[in-house]
């Protein structure tokens, strides 16, 4: 046995210890602080260590206790960002996937793994009302949006062979509330952020279709080449859903690709399909199971209607990887429809989780989160000291403390920033932030299967409890 080999007996013993540690963590999760009592210096002291020349053996596992103690506890009171809650059955799937160590690149590389991923992608497309779409799992929404827009670019301004040199830069349209992943993707694709044209939103932070139409016509009249429209199915700040059907009609009339960024919100179509009218008209769609399907990171997905577009964009195969079968199952290769070659077995956790719980359990959990967001919005509106700052279409709730009736906007922004920092440091609830119309917002985003009504009620209580101390400190 060489130095890296581990006997089955030792693995069983160590794995049992790790599982016991994880089970103990889950047992105490609800009582844990949502943010660890630590500092940057302390985290470096604990973990920024010298590389050991000689193995530590079982002692290497002792530090896992410090890792847990210095991590955010994503219990039912964690409402930061758009962070899923990490369903434990899926985590067991991740463990099995790592042990199997399959490269989900082509059927011949992993017959079970590739078949399971193709099945999971079909399940997801059907669950959100886009039956017939195909696709691939990704690291997250950023990669899915990049790939979707790469397909759009290659359809309208092909660049894979000759590049973009001496070609007209195409134009992509998105609302002013678009996620930062889209400007990043436009830059990486060589289109350039100057050619990402932002369309104004209405008071509910949804793209205004008439202004999209006007912008496209203006660019066409000036000789530019429109490529695609990016619609949002759940903006990151407020969860607003763009008028998808109207945007799709405009895109079709100008022969533009329609990509929907649904990384945050699209999976809510499982519970509330009526909110997503027109979703199935997209050419491509990003969604994140590690957000509102409660899967452990990382797990994103890109769905698309036309597999030929994916092949045109991503197929480039060296002789060493050419497929040896023409069978539609045994000859399938994800690397011909994706930017990735090496791919981990992401699908196993979703497959196991959905089979264990059933889709109905996820539908109920998503609906509960939607209801909880409305409960929080009502509590905010019922409190004279607080102001609801945006619509609550999905599960993102933006609000602020008014401080005093005559406080200036600048003072309120500074106060709410200080208030947020204090709330996060206390560790009783975890909120993040947004900015709407120049106003700094406290933001709770509920994509958490562990959240109870008492956790929701704790938000307003914590804000009101912390506010007087922060007001006093700012007055000093």
């Amino acid at each position: 046995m060489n130095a890296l080999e581990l006997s089955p007996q030792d693995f069983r013993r160590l794995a049992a210890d790790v599982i016991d540690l994880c089970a103990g963590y889950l047992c105490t999760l609800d009582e844990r602080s949502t943010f660890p009592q630590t500092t940057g210096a302390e985290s470096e002291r604990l973990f920024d260590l010298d590389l050991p020349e000689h193995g530590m053996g079982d002692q290497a596992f002792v530090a896992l206790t410090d890792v847990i103690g210095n991590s955010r506890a994503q219990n039912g009171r964690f409402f930061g960002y758009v962070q899923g809650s990490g369903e434990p059955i899926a985590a067991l799937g991740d463990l099995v996937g790592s042990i199997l160590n399959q490269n989900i690149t082509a059927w011949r590389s992993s017959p079970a793994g590739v078949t399971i991923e193709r099945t999971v992608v079909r399940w997801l497309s059907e669950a959100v009302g886009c039956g017939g779409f195909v696709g691939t799992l990704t690291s997250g929404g950023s990669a899915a949006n990049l790939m979707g827009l790469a397909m759009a670019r290659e359809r309208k301004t092909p660049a894979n062979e000759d590049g973009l040199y001496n070609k007209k830069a195409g134009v992509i349209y998105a609302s002013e509330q678009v996620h930062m992943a889209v400007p990043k993707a436009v830059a990486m694709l060589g289109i350039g952020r100057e050619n990402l044209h932002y369309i104004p939103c209405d008071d509910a932070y949804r793209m205004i279709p008439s202004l999209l139409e006007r912008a496209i016509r203006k660019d066409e009249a000036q000789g530019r080449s429109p490529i695609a429209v990016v619609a949002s199915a759940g903006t990151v700040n407020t969860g607003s859903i763009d008028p998808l059907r109207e945007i799709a009609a405009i895109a079709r009339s100008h022969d533009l690709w329609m990509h929907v960024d649904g990384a945050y919100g699209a999976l809510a179509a499982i519970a509330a399909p009526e909110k997503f009218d027109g979703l199935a008209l997209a050419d491509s769609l990003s969604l994140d199971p590690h957000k509102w399907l409660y899967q452990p990171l990382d797990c994103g997905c890109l769905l698309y209607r036309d597999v030929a577009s994916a092949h045109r964009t991503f197929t480039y195969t060296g002789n060493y990887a050419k497929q040896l079968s023409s069978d539609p199952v045994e000859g399938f290769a994800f690397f011909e429809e994706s930017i990735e070659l090496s791919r981990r077995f992401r699908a196993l956790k979703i497959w196991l989780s959905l089979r264990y719980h059933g889709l109905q359990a996820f539908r109920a959990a998503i609906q509960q989160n939607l209801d909880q967001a409305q409960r929080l919005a009502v509590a905010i509106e019922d409190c004279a000291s607080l102001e609801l700052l945006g619509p609550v279409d999905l599960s993102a709730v933006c609000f602020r403390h008014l401080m005093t009736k005559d406080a200036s906007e600048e003072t309120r922004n500074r106060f709410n920033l200080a208030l947020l920092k204090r709330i996060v440091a206390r560790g009783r609830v975890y909120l993040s932030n947004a900015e709407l119309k120049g106003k700094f917002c406290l933001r709770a985003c509920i994509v958490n299967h562990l959240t109870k009504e008492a956790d929701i009620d704790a938000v307003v209580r914590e804000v009101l409890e912390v506010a007087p101390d922060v007001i006093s400190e700012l007055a000093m």
Side-chain angles (χ1 to χ4, degrees):
M1 182 178 291
N2 68 42
L4 289 178
E5 286 188 80
L6 189 71
S7 71
Q9 294 78 17
D10 282 342
F11 176 79
R12 185 183 299 273
R13 174 179 57 82
L14 293 170
D17 289 344
V18 170
I19 292 295
D20 189 58
L21 183 66
C22 292
Y25 171 75
L26 292 176
C27 285
T28 61
L29 181 57
D30 188 59
E31 64 197 52
R32 288 177 176 269
S33 171
T34 54
F35 193 80
Q37 300 298 308
T38 190
T39 64
E42 175 65 5
S43 60
E44 289 201 337
R45 183 189 71 79
L46 288 170
F47 308 120
D48 188 12
L49 307 172
D50 293 336
L51 172 65
E53 179 64 28
H54 302 287
M56 300 169 64
D58 289 8
Q59 283 297 113
F61 288 83
V62 172
L64 289 179
T65 302
D66 286 331
V67 173
I68 291 172
N70 285 267
S71 297
R72 294 185 316 210
Q74 289 166 196
N75 55 32
R77 297 177 303 282
F78 187 91
F79 306 121
Y81 320 112
V82 190
Q83 177 71 56
S85 40
E87 193 276 307
I89 295 297
L92 294 176
D94 257 348
L95 172 61
V96 176
S98 292
I99 291 296
L100 292 176
N101 194 34
Q102 300 291 284
N103 189 358
I104 312 301
T105 180
W107 184 89
R108 69 180 182 184
S109 298
S110 180
V114 166
T115 305
I116 287 173
E117 179 164 336
R118 296 182 78 185
T119 299
V120 164
V121 167
R122 175 174 59 81
W123 286 354
L124 293 175
S125 67
E126 292 170 352
V128 299
C130 294
F133 281 45
V134 292
T136 176
L137 297 183
T138 68
S139 60
S142 293
N145 286 327
L146 174 64
M147 290 170 60
L149 290 177
M151 293 168 69
R153 186 207 65 186
E154 202 59 21
R155 176 177 176 270
K156 294 291 289 187
T157 55
N160 278 359
E161 300 303 325
D162 301 327
L164 291 172
Y165 183 70
N166 274 344
K167 293 183 179 178
K168 283 184 180 179
V171 181
I172 291 178
Y173 305 87
S175 94
E176 56 194 11
Q177 290 290 313
V178 72
H179 191 276
M180 67 181 186
V182 171
K184 281 189 174 185
V186 168
M188 286 187 284
L189 290 169
I191 297 168
R193 284 192 278 265
E194 287 188 357
N195 295 303
L196 175 60
H197 291 187
Y198 294 102
I199 307 302
C201 294
D202 61 19
D203 289 340
Y205 301 99
R206 299 171 300 192
M207 185 192 294
I208 300 173
S210 62
L211 297 185
L212 170 66
E213 175 74 35
R214 184 185 302 174
I216 294 171
R217 289 185 180 278
K218 178 181 177 181
D219 286 330
E220 289 175 336
Q222 294 177 349
R224 297 192 177 99
S225 301
I227 294 175
V229 180
V230 180
S232 295
T235 58
V236 67
N237 284 329
T238 62
S240 299
I241 302 166
D242 287 334
L244 302 176
R245 184 171 294 277
E246 292 177 67
I247 292 171
I250 292 170
R252 292 286 183 275
S253 70
H254 292 274
D255 192 29
L256 305 186
W257 185 277
M258 180 180 169
H259 175 73
V260 174
D261 177 8
Y264 163 22
L267 283 162
I270 294 172
E274 69 281 358
K275 290 180 177 289
F276 297 89
D277 178 49
L279 186 65
L281 299 174
D283 294 294
S284 55
L285 163 66
S286 66
L287 47 85
D288 274 358
H290 66 214
K291 290 185 172 72
W292 225 341
L293 212 57
Y294 315 110
Q295 300 294 295
L297 292 158
D298 60 15
C299 191
C301 182
L302 175 69
L303 300 176
Y304 43 84
R305 64 171 58 254
D306 179 23
V307 70
S309 293
H311 285 162
R312 182 169 57 245
T313 306
F314 301 117
T315 296
Y316 184 84
T317 306
N319 290 330
Y320 50 83
K322 285 190 180 297
Q323 291 300 94
L324 306 179
S325 172
S326 59
D327 183 90
V329 174
E330 297 181 13
F332 179 82
F334 271 117
F335 62 75
E336 293 181 341
E337 300 179 13
S338 168
I339 60 174
E340 293 181 304
L341 180 55
S342 299
R343 304 173 72 251
R344 69 188 306 269
F345 198 172
R346 294 187 180 101
L348 185 58
K349 57 188 169 191
I350 310 178
W351 187 78
L352 190 64
S353 183
L354 284 168
R355 281 166 54 87
Y356 184 90
H357 294 291
L359 183 61
Q360 175 56 41
F362 288 94
R363 182 180 294 112
I366 293 167
Q367 184 59 57
Q368 179 173 272
N369 289 162
L370 294 169
D371 294 341
Q372 288 166 339
Q374 294 300 321
R375 180 184 181 92
L376 178 56
V378 168
I380 291 166
E381 291 188 307
D382 286 346
C383 182
S385 301
L386 304 179
E387 180 185 16
L388 190 66
L389 291 176
V392 184
D393 286 340
L394 293 176
S395 67
V397 184
C398 292
F399 66 104
R400 66 176 176 175
H401 194 292
L402 292 171
M403 191 178 179
T404 62
K405 289 183 178 180
D406 57 351
S408 68
E409 290 300 316
E410 181 181 353
T411 299
R412 283 175 175 163
N413 284 349
R414 188 169 66 251
F415 165 71
N416 278 277
L417 172 59
L419 182 59
L420 176 63
K421 289 180 178 179
R422 180 65 60 84
I423 289 169
V424 169
R426 278 164 58 102
R428 298 181 185 179
V429 299
Y430 195 103
L431 306 177
S432 56
N433 59 280
E435 183 178 307
L436 297 174
K437 297 180 180 178
K439 298 175 182 178
F440 184 93
C441 309
L442 307 177
R443 177 180 170 279
C445 187
I446 309 161
V447 285
N448 191 327
H449 74 287
L450 300 174
T451 298
K452 309 292 191 296
E453 287 187 356
D455 300 318
I456 295 297
D457 296 342
V459 173
V460 168
R461 185 171 62 248
E462 179 71 359
V463 171
L464 296 180
E465 186 174 321
V466 173
D469 289 340
V470 178
I471 290 174
S472 298
E473 291 174 7
L474 290 179
M476 294 174 64

